[in-house]
Amino acid sequence: MKLIIAIVQDEDSSKLLSKLMQKGYGVTKLATTGGFLKAGNTTLLLGVEDDRIPEAVKIIESVCKSRKQMTSASTTIAGLTHSEYTTYPVEVTVGGATLFVLSIDQFMKV
Ligand code: 2BA
């Protein structure tokens, strides 16, 4: 068994969750925040049998299409206290998914 950690855009999360559930995957949804944009995103945890990894990745790919978008990022200003930020425009690729696939030693429900 493997654990897929999938970081996706909030906009894609409901559709993705539904598709994965329809196909019988066990999924846990976490509300997360990206470190760069400091904007909300969604992290899904999927415990998946090895032979179903390609199918799971295909489903994630089919729902989470990437697109370019202008957005503003924030950073702290040197010399000011850490609570003071400035923002600047930045083009980022949003959507798509960032996946980590981890080997799982044991899967138990007790
Ligand atoms: P964020 O950290 O908010 O990053 C959002 C998007 O901003 C990134 O998309 C990337 O296109 C851009 N970006 C990130 N850091 C940048 C930088 N230093 N300079 C210019 N552009 C930058 P993705 O790479 O698809 O990442 C989407 C989200 O996945 C990230 O949100 C973060 O929450 C997570 N993520 C990505 N790589 C990760 C990693 N190595 N470890 C943990 N989480 C990761």
Side-chain angles (χ1 to χ4, degrees):
M1 171 171 264
K2 300 254 189 302
L3 176 68
I4 300 179
I5 301 174
I7 304 165
V8 305
Q9 291 297 115
D10 286 346
E11 290 80 358
D12 296 327
S13 65
S14 294
K15 188 175 173 191
L16 179 58
L17 197 64
S18 301
K19 284 210 167 189
L20 290 168
M21 296 300 295
Q22 274 169 20
K23 292 280 185 180
Y25 290 94
V27 188
T28 296
K29 179 182 171 187
L30 305 172
T32 47
T33 303
F36 183 67
L37 296 179
K38 296 180 174 57
N41 54 25
T42 298
T43 298
L44 300 180
L45 306 180
L46 294 85
V48 179
E49 295 303 334
D50 289 23
D51 60 347
R52 296 197 75 193
I53 293 285
E55 182 194 48
V57 171
K58 209 169 165 185
I59 293 169
I60 295 167
E61 262 187 317
S62 73
V63 173
C64 303
K65 301 287 182 198
S66 63
R67 56 258 179 196
K68 296 232 181 262
Q69 186 177 297
M70 289 305 291
T71 186
S72 62
S74 62
T75 188
T76 51
I77 305 170
L80 300 180
T81 65
H82 66 275
S83 61
E84 291 172 280
Y85 289 93
T86 185
T87 60
Y88 57 96
V90 61
E91 186 184 73
V92 292
T93 303
V94 298
T98 300
L99 305 182
F100 300 88
V101 182
L102 289 71
S103 293
I104 298 301
D105 288 339
Q106 283 190 321
F107 172 65
M108 287 182 281
K109 291 183 181 179
V110 294

